[in-house]
Amino acid sequence: MARQHDLVACIASPKALLLLILSRIGLLLLVIFLLLVAVLVALAIATEVRARGIEARTPNIGERTDVGGYSLNALHVPAGPNADLPPIVFIHGASGNLQDQTGAFLEPLRGRAELLFVDRPGHGYSERGGPENDTPDGQANAIARLMEKKGIDRAIIVGHSFGGAITASFGVLHPDKVEGLVFLSAATHPWPGGVDWYYHLASAPVIGPIFCHTLALHAGMMRIDAATEHVFAPNPRPADYVEKTGPQLVLRPSAFRSNAKDVAGLHAYVTDFAPRYREIAKPTVVITGDADKIVLEEIHSKGLARDIEGSELVWIEGLGHKPDYIVTDIVIAALEKIAGKERDLQSMARAVEPRLAATSVDPGGSAPSLQAGQ
């Protein structure tokens, strides 16, 4: 009877009818909101559980060192008694961690030099630090402090992809700590276009942390195999690459947000900083391929060769984005050349091209549309 009375009253009074409709809509919206919150909480719990599982499968192989209020993680390998190379510092790219570079270089170079493989700020098992580490110059400064803590006065700095922007910044800002520079498929110059939408979403205030703690890891795990295959393409990805290097570490919420800030801000940074590359006066080798599906080698690598006087550009036909794994011997020869040994890098590049052509693969599907650096 009460409901009938309310209905009769609403029909008699349009204002009462409007209030009834609004109350029902408000109740529906409240229910939808509570359901959405419940879903997000469930996703956040699942994200935390899966993130811990990723860490359990990819334990830290380095050591954390305080570099001024936060810690950087690195694997520091001493030189052997018959070392023939100066110290070498390896800087990984976006979406990576130090195990990406140890997988390529640790065993081939063990004993030949003092080696420092670094988890960049906010990546792997390093803490992010302050907002100064949102740009390559801040990360270069952090790595310089880490070198001091480790007792490394001067080193050859090797940067892959996004790590190339840090390596170039290091060469400008810390020339006294540089023996030479090696760039591998570097991302260093302004480029046309942009980066994938999720970098901007994940780095945004408010919505970014929500996205990183709920959806990013689950979506990323579905794409990890395809994404890494495209990073190597048209060269085949090593079968054990994902298992041994732990690229899934970047899908953890804090690392994903750090990575997103890095990539989303790279274009603006290199637009301002790239003119300073002309200040670099250290021996430099730039190694790149003409089949890179991640960065625009015509802009980045050729730009470095143009801007750094006396640098050597090693242009390899059929090489994708991973010279560290695909032409490891050429990278090591570049290190040896910087150390004063006679090495013909151009002849080595020509010799490897038939092998690359013969082993070319097409992973199919769409590649990550980064265009800045993976």
Side-chain angles (χ1 to χ4, degrees), residues 237-310:
R237 186 198 71 188
D240 59 356
Y241 177 78
V242 173
E243 177 185 356
K244 287 191 173 181
T245 65
Q248 305 96 324
L249 286 171
V250 76
L251 298 176
R252 298 169 301 162
S254 62
F256 196 86
R257 184 160 166 80
S258 294
N259 189 60
K261 288 181 178 180
D262 288 348
V263 176
L266 181 61
H267 189 280
Y269 175 81
V270 297
T271 299
D272 291 337
F273 199 87
R276 296 196 62 186
Y277 298 162
R278 294 181 176 87
E279 300 174 26
I280 296 174
K282 299 293 183 178
T284 298
V285 177
V286 181
I287 301 175
T288 194
D290 72 339
D292 194 328
K293 299 182 182 300
I294 305 299
V295 305
L296 302 171
E297 67 278 353
E298 292 278 351
I299 292 176
H300 301 288
S301 293
K302 287 190 173 180
L304 284 169
R306 176 195 66 231
D307 294 343
I308 302 175
E309 186 175 355

Side-chain angles (χ1 to χ4, degrees), residues 67-324:
V67 292
Y70 64 96
S71 65
L72 281 190
N73 187 63
L75 177 64
H76 186 205
V77 182
N82 299 315
D84 62 335
L85 296 173
I88 308 169
V89 175
F90 293 92
I91 305 176
H92 66 80
S95 304
N97 65 82
L98 67 83
Q99 295 191 51
D100 179 47
Q101 296 298 284
T102 61
F105 297 114
L106 177 56
E107 292 311 318
L109 289 171
R110 188 188 292 274
R112 296 191 62 186
E114 183 178 8
L115 307 173
L116 187 66
F117 298 91
V118 183
D119 274 337
R120 296 193 291 104
H123 295 259
Y125 289 94
S126 284
E127 295 176 340
R128 182 63 170 182
E132 71 277 3
N133 288 333
D134 290 347
T135 52
D137 54 350
Q139 296 192 26
N141 294 336
I143 293 170
R145 291 194 297 273
L146 178 64
M147 287 175 60
E148 293 172 359
K149 294 276 189 174
K150 298 296 185 181
I152 301 174
D153 295 326
R154 290 161 61 92
I156 301 174
I157 312 298
V158 181
H160 173 247
S161 197
F162 186 98
I166 299 169
T167 298
S169 300
F170 197 102
V172 172
L173 301 173
H174 302 282
D176 57 316
K177 297 183 182 297
V178 176
E179 193 75 32
L181 304 172
V182 176
F183 294 92
L184 307 176
S185 300
T188 51
H189 287 71
W191 68 95
V195 297
D196 257 332
W197 59 270
Y198 55 81
Y199 290 110
H200 297 291
L201 176 63
S203 61
V206 184
I207 189 66
I210 294 175
F211 175 67
C212 293
H213 282 272
T214 56
L215 295 173
L217 185 147
H218 309 293
M221 288 296 288
M222 296 172 63
R223 285 279 297 158
I224 197 74
D225 280 319
T228 52
E229 286 176 356
H230 277 287
V231 169
F232 275 85
N235 313 123
R237 186 198 71 188
D240 59 356
Y241 177 78
V242 173
E243 177 185 356
K244 287 191 173 181
T245 65
Q248 305 96 324
L249 286 171
V250 76
L251 298 176
R252 298 169 301 162
S254 62
F256 196 86
R257 184 160 166 80
S258 294
N259 189 60
K261 288 181 178 180
D262 288 348
V263 176
L266 181 61
H267 189 280
Y269 175 81
V270 297
T271 299
D272 291 337
F273 199 87
R276 296 196 62 186
Y277 298 162
R278 294 181 176 87
E279 300 174 26
I280 296 174
K282 299 293 183 178
T284 298
V285 177
V286 181
I287 301 175
T288 194
D290 72 339
D292 194 328
K293 299 182 182 300
I294 305 299
V295 305
L296 302 171
E297 67 278 353
E298 292 278 351
I299 292 176
H300 301 288
S301 293
K302 287 190 173 180
L304 284 169
R306 176 195 66 231
D307 294 343
I308 302 175
E309 186 175 355
S311 61
E312 180 176 2
L313 175 62
V314 183
W315 186 272
I316 305 174
E317 293 184 5
L319 175 65
H321 192 60
K322 294 292 284 179
D324 41 356

Side-chain angles (χ1 to χ4, degrees), residues 1 14 25 28 65:
M1 292 295 295
I25 292 175
L28 177 62
T65 301

